[in-house]
Amino acid sequence: MSTTISSIGVLGAGQMGLGIAQVAARAGFPTVLVKATPGDVGALRQKVEGAWAREVEKGRMTAEEQAAALGRLTITTDFGALAKSDLIIESIVEDIARKHEAFARLDAICGPQAIFTSNTSTLGITSMAVGTKRPARFLGLHFFNPAPAMKLVEVASTVVTEPGLADAVAEVVTKLGKTPVRVKDTTGFVVNRLLVPYMLDAMRVLADSGAGIADIDTAMCNGAAHPMGPFTLADFIGLDVVFHMANNLHDEYREPRFAPPPVLTRLVLANQLGRKTKLGFYDYAQKPPRPNAGI
Ligand SMILES: NC(=O)c1ccc[n+]([C@@H]2O[C@H](COP(=O)([O-])OP(=O)(O)OC[C@H]3O[C@@H](n4cnc5c(N)ncnc54)[C@H](O)[C@@H]3O)[C@@H](O)[C@H]2O)c1
C-alpha cells in the first residue's frame, strides 16, 4: 500500500497536540488539528499566532513564513476534518479506553491507506493497533514536551507493523526537523523507561539520604550536568503524568523500581501536581520557587 505522506492530522489539542500541529504546519505540511473536547478553537489559534509572533520577533521565522504556516493550519472541533489526512497523530488524554474510542471513530472516516499513530507515553501501541481495522498501518510516534523545542521523536513499531512503514514515518519526522529513534512497542520506549525510574529514585533518595529537594536537584545539575534536577523535571512534566507513567510501567514490568513512592501518591491525591497547579515538589507561589514546605 502507498505510503505517500503529504498531509498530517492531529487529534487532541492539549499541550502536546497543539505543539505537534505547530511543528507540522511550520515544516510545510497541510495540517488539521482537531480539538477532541468541546470548547473554543479561537483561543488555540491565538496561542499559535502568539508563539509564532515571538519567533518572528526573535528573527527565527519571517513574517511570510508565519503567514504561510498559518495558512497551512486548520484548527477545528470537527472530527470529520481528519478524513483526508495521510498521517494521523493521536494525542488525546492518556486513557486506553478513550484512545480505543478515538481510533474506532477515525477508522470509520479515514481511508484504508491512512497511517494511524499515537503519541502515548506509556500505553500499549499493539493494544491500540489491533483494535483498529488497520493494525499493520499503526505506529507509536512519541514526541517530547515542549514539542516545538524538543528534537527527539521515538518511532515505535509492533509485531504486526507493515515493512517499510516505520521508515516512511521516520522520514517524515526528519522533515519535521526532528531526530527519529526507532524502537519496538515496549512500555515507556527508551526515554521514559529510563527517566521515570530516575525521578522515582530521586524521591526515594529524598526519603532517606538527609538531602533536601533543592540539594538533590543541585547535586544532579552540578554533579551529572543535567539541565534540570529530578524534582524540577517531575514538576515540569506534571506529577499526575509521572504517577500514571510509573503505574503503567509497573503494571507491565512488575519491577519495584517503577512503583510510585508514597510521597508521589500523596502529592497526586492532594492535587499538588507541579507547575500546572503551582505546587508540587516546589512551591511556585514563592519567587523564586522554594521546596514545598508540606513535604
Ligand atoms: N505531557 C507530556 O510531557 C507528554 C509528552 C509526550 C507524550 N505525551 C502524551 O500526549 C498525550 C496528550 O498529553 P498532553 O500532555 O497533551 O495532555 P493534555 O491534558 O494537555 O491534553 C489532553 C487532551 O485530551 C483531550 N481530552 C480530555 N478528555 C478527553 C476525552 N474523554 N476524550 C477525548 N479527548 C479528551 C483534552 O481536550 C486535551 O486536549 C498523552 O497520551 C500523553 O501521554 C505527553
Side-chain angles (χ1 to χ4, degrees), residues 116-140:
F116 286 0
T117 68
S118 173
N119 181 42
T120 182
S121 299
T122 49
L123 297 172
I125 301 301
T126 309
S127 159
M128 287 182 242
V130 299
T132 70
K133 292 188 204 125
R134 65 191 80 216
R137 289 180 76 77
F138 199 115
L139 294 167

Side-chain angles (χ1 to χ4, degrees), residues 132-255:
T132 70
K133 292 188 204 125
R134 65 191 80 216
R137 289 180 76 77
F138 199 115
L139 294 167
L141 201 58
H142 186 229
F143 289 76
F144 290 80
N145 188 14
M150 296 292 282
K151 288 286 173 215
L152 181 69
V153 179
E154 291 171 317
V155 181
S157 44
T158 75
V159 286
V160 294
T161 305
E162 161 185 309
L165 190 78
D167 289 335
V169 172
E171 227 173 85
V172 171
V173 168
T174 306
K175 286 186 192 159
L176 296 180
K178 306 289 182 196
T179 305
V181 165
R182 300 277 301 275
V183 290
K184 289 184 190 163
D185 172 27
T186 41
T187 302
F189 309 129
V190 172
V191 172
N192 283 325
R193 196 165 160 190
L194 293 172
L195 203 56
V196 172
Y198 157 70
M199 289 184 284
L200 303 178
D201 270 344
M203 296 170 206
R204 292 186 258 271
V205 169
L206 176 68
D208 68 10
S209 67
I213 291 166
D215 295 329
I216 295 170
D217 273 357
T218 301
M220 291 311 293
C221 291
N222 293 316
H226 285 201
M228 62 175 89
F231 295 107
T232 304
L233 177 64
D235 274 357
F236 179 71
I237 294 170
L239 300 186
D240 51 340
V241 176
V242 176
F243 182 71
H244 283 124
M245 289 197 288
N247 281 312
N248 288 340
L249 285 157
H250 190 249
D251 285 349
E252 175 80 0
Y253 300 109
R254 309 281 163 162
E255 291 172 25

